[in-house]
Each structure stands twice: as structure tokens, then as C-alpha cells.
Amino acid sequence: MLTRKEYTAAKERAAVMIREAGIVITDEEAGRVEVADFGLSRLDQEGAQILTLVATDRIAAKIIALFEGQTLPEHWHPRVGDDPGKEETIRVVCGILRCYVSGADTLRDGFVPEGKQNAYTARQEHLLGPGEQITLPPGTKHWFQASAGGVVMYSFSTVARDILDQFTNPEVKRVTQIVD
Amino acid sequence: MLTRKEYTAAKERAAVMIREAGIVITDEEAGRVEVADFGLSRLDQEGAQILTLVATDRIAAKIIALFEGQTLPEHWHPRVGDDPGKEETIRVVCGILRCYVSGADTLRDGFVPEGKQNAYTARQEHLLGPGEQITLPPGTKHWFQASAGGVVMYSFSTVARDILDQFTNPEVKRVTQIVD
């Protein structure tokens, strides 16, 4: 859970980062940046700030801002009925993203959040700078981490059903609780 | 058809516009901006410059640059087999886009290219500025026009099969011929 103050501060910080990355968003959009602590209550270590630009029953386009050192927990997008699962392309706008997917362990620049070795099993490292992108097929385990200065990136995908995403860490809750 | 010189000039002009709009693209991407004259051989009046960022068999993300007064001809995205047709969200980054869709005739700020009344039947006008967007369901006839200073916009969509797009003007050819 997050306090209202933490939530608001993270939202505002993310909106500034998005705009400083040169991305044009309206004030209405800045006001609905979603702050996700994944139920882990340590936002600066594990969390993400997400602005959904497009969400139809066929596609989604989002902006994700990660603060310096912040890690978006390992997850994958499972099959849902006839849908083979979400296919997602991550395109970096600002900063260097550490992206980890299943495969040979090449983790070098990044780090697994302390005490969470079992929650981060994908260790193939991809470092992506501005204008660089990676496409993650459905079912691929992946996690993200922002290096110095933080990262702003796009996520272009097939239909997003965030609530059905599966996380390696069983303690993750996709809904963020805010306490006043 | 376009001369090689016209093609290259339009490509370079579009890449500059995209970058001036604050969008981060690599040099490789700048070099593969597609210039489309739709077989009409009058690019400044009817045409578009398009950079494909993502094109999988499920989604597409593109950047479209239109020069001032340039019109992207009326077309629609038909059903293809099991696919109900391309669904597309246009999001403006820079400039004011005149977007026309089927519906009550409210055309006021824009204009139908001279002598092309029959090729532009959708006349419901939507003016979209930076950060504004519209979602076009499959099968919806639409055309775009850039007002003063030109327009840079994103197109987020389901799978793109440009060659199967249908145009109101039977003279349109989706492939641009370049002559040396």
C-alpha cells in the first residue's frame, strides 16, 4: 500500500519525467498516471508509473515511467481464451532500460532487488536506449529496471488485461491500495 | 510517381518534422521513412510520409507526418478473413490535424483537394491538436489533412495490411513509383 502523499508525489514526478522526455500529454492525462506498487509497499524499489493512452478490446498503447533503480516485477502475459496472450513492444524514449527476459543469464548492469532472488528468474539482459525497442511474445517472462536518471518508454501491445498478468512473486497484487 | 529527388527531399523533410515534434527516432529509422504519393503524382497535395515503428502480425505503431495542406486520401480498412479490419487510433503530437470521417457534413476548416469531390465523401470534421486522439473502427471511411505548419501524429493499430486498404479514388495505387 501507498500513502496518498506517496501516490500523488510519484504521479506528479512521473508526469514531469514523461514531459521532459518530449512526449506530449494533456493535463487530463497527466492527472491519471497510474502508480503501481504491486502490493509490495516499496514503490521506489519495485513499482511502475503507467499512463494508458489507448485501451480498446484489441490494442493498448501506454507510457511507462520508471524512477532510477526502480524495478517492474517479473511477469508474463498468459493465454486468455482465444487470445494467445498479450504481445508487447517496449520502445525507450529516454534513459537506459534494463530489460530481462528468459534465456542465458547475462545480467551484468542491473541487479535483482534485495532478497527477491526467487521472484526474478529471467536473467537475459537487454540494454535499450532512446529509440531502441524489443518485442516480447506472449508468455515470455520479463522484468524491467531503470538505470541512472530513470526511464520513459512506450508499451505498444495487443489487448491489455493487466489484472490477468501473472507474476513470479506470489505476493504481488496488481491493484495498488492507497491509504489516507 | 515521384522523382528520386522529390522522394529524398520529402523523406528528409519528414524526418526533421518528426524530430522537431520531440519524437526520438534512430538514424536508421529516419532513413526508412516511407513517402507515399498514392500513385497520384502530386505529393504536396495528396500524400503522406510514414515511419513504421512496429509491425507484427497483431499490431502496428507508425508515425505519420503530413506537410502543410497535404491530404492523405480517403480510405478504409476492410475485413480480411477472420480479421474484422484494422482498428486505428490517431494521436496528434504536433500541429492541428483535420480528420474526416463518415457522418453529418461539418467540413469547415479544411478543403477537398481540387477536382476530387468524388474521392472525398466523408465530411464530418474533427480537429485534433497535440495530445488529442481519435479511434477509427474498422470499415470507417476517413481522410486526413494537415493545417498550417504540418502535422506529426502516431497511428496505433491492429495489424496493418496497407496493400489491402481500400480507397474511394479508384486511381489510387498504394505503391509509390520512384523514377531516377
Side-chain angles (χ1 to χ4, degrees):
Chain A
M1 71 181 59
L2 295 174
T3 65
R4 175 75 55 189
K5 196 175 162 186
E6 288 172 318
Y7 185 87
T8 303
K11 179 153 82 165
E12 291 175 357
R13 187 177 165 195
V16 168
M17 280 177 67
I18 291 168
R19 284 176 161 157
E20 285 184 350
I23 298 175
V24 178
I25 58 170
T26 65
D27 290 343
E28 183 273 326
E29 289 169 333
R32 60 177 173 77
V33 171
E34 177 202 355
V35 178
D37 79 342
F38 299 96
L40 302 173
S41 304
R42 45 183 226 154
L43 182 68
D44 286 344
Q45 287 80 48
E46 294 178 285
Q49 295 63 233
I50 302 166
L51 172 58
T52 298
L53 301 177
V54 181
T56 73
D57 58 2
R58 300 182 66 191
I59 66 163
K62 303 181 178 197
I63 300 167
I64 303 174
L66 298 182
F67 304 142
E68 181 170 329
Q70 197 180 34
T71 301
L72 194 162
E74 179 173 290
H75 65 287
W76 66 96
H77 309 291
R79 171 178 285 279
V80 180
D82 289 342
D83 180 350
K86 187 170 94 164
E87 174 200 281
E88 181 174 29
T89 295
I90 294 293
R91 180 180 174 87
V92 173
V93 178
C94 178
I96 304 292
L97 177 70
R98 300 171 187 146
C99 171
Y100 299 93
V101 298
S102 300
D105 183 341
T106 56
L107 189 151
R108 195 176 50 189
D109 281 31
F111 59 89
V112 170
E114 209 181 324
K116 298 293 183 78
Q117 293 295 321
N118 295 335
Y120 293 87
T121 64
R123 302 284 175 94
Q124 186 178 94
E125 184 175 80
H126 296 259
L127 302 177
L128 302 174
E132 294 181 329
Q133 60 188 44
I134 188 171
T135 297
L136 306 164
T140 303
K141 285 188 182 177
H142 56 281
W143 53 284
F144 304 128
Q145 187 172 76
S147 54
V151 165
V152 177
M153 56 190 162
Y154 279 106
S155 163
F156 305 128
S157 74
T158 58
V159 58
R161 298 184 178 94
D162 299 346
I163 205 72
L164 299 180
D165 287 347
Q166 297 190 348
F167 287 79
T168 306
N169 182 350
E171 290 170 9
V172 162
K173 294 184 186 70
R174 191 58 189 84
V175 177
T176 302
Q177 279 197 317
I178 304 167
V179 290
D180 283 304
Chain B
M1 71 181 62
L2 294 174
T3 64
R4 176 73 55 185
K5 196 175 161 185
E6 287 172 320
Y7 185 86
T8 303
K11 180 155 78 167
E12 290 176 357
R13 186 177 166 195
V16 169
M17 280 177 68
I18 290 168
R19 285 177 160 158
E20 286 184 350
I23 298 175
V24 177
I25 58 171
T26 64
D27 290 343
E28 182 273 326
E29 289 169 333
R32 60 176 172 79
V33 171
E34 177 202 356
V35 178
D37 79 342
F38 299 95
L40 302 174
S41 303
R42 44 184 227 156
L43 182 69
D44 285 345
Q45 286 81 50
E46 294 177 285
Q49 295 65 232
I50 302 166
L51 172 58
T52 298
L53 300 177
V54 181
T56 74
D57 59 1
R58 300 180 68 190
I59 66 163
K62 302 180 178 197
I63 300 168
I64 303 173
L66 298 181
F67 304 142
E68 180 169 327
Q70 196 181 34
T71 302
L72 194 163
E74 180 174 290
H75 65 287
W76 65 98
H77 309 292
R79 170 179 286 279
V80 180
D82 288 343
D83 179 351
K86 187 171 94 165
E87 174 199 280
E88 181 173 30
T89 295
I90 294 293
R91 179 179 175 89
V92 174
V93 177
C94 177
I96 304 293
L97 176 70
R98 301 170 185 146
C99 172
Y100 299 92
V101 298
S102 300
D105 183 342
T106 56
L107 189 151
R108 194 177 51 193
D109 281 32
F111 59 88
V112 170
E114 209 181 323
K116 297 293 183 79
Q117 292 297 318
N118 295 335
Y120 292 88
T121 64
R123 302 285 175 93
Q124 187 179 94
E125 184 175 79
H126 297 260
L127 303 178
L128 302 175
E132 295 181 328
Q133 61 188 43
I134 187 171
T135 297
L136 306 163
T140 303
K141 285 187 182 178
H142 56 281
W143 53 284
F144 305 128
Q145 188 172 76
S147 54
V151 165
V152 177
M153 56 190 162
Y154 279 105
S155 164
F156 304 128
S157 74
T158 59
V159 57
R161 298 183 178 93
D162 298 348
I163 205 72
L164 299 180
D165 287 349
Q166 298 190 348
F167 287 80
T168 306
N169 182 349
E171 291 170 10
V172 162
K173 294 185 188 70
R174 190 59 187 83
V175 178
T176 301
Q177 279 198 315
I178 303 167
V179 290
D180 282 303

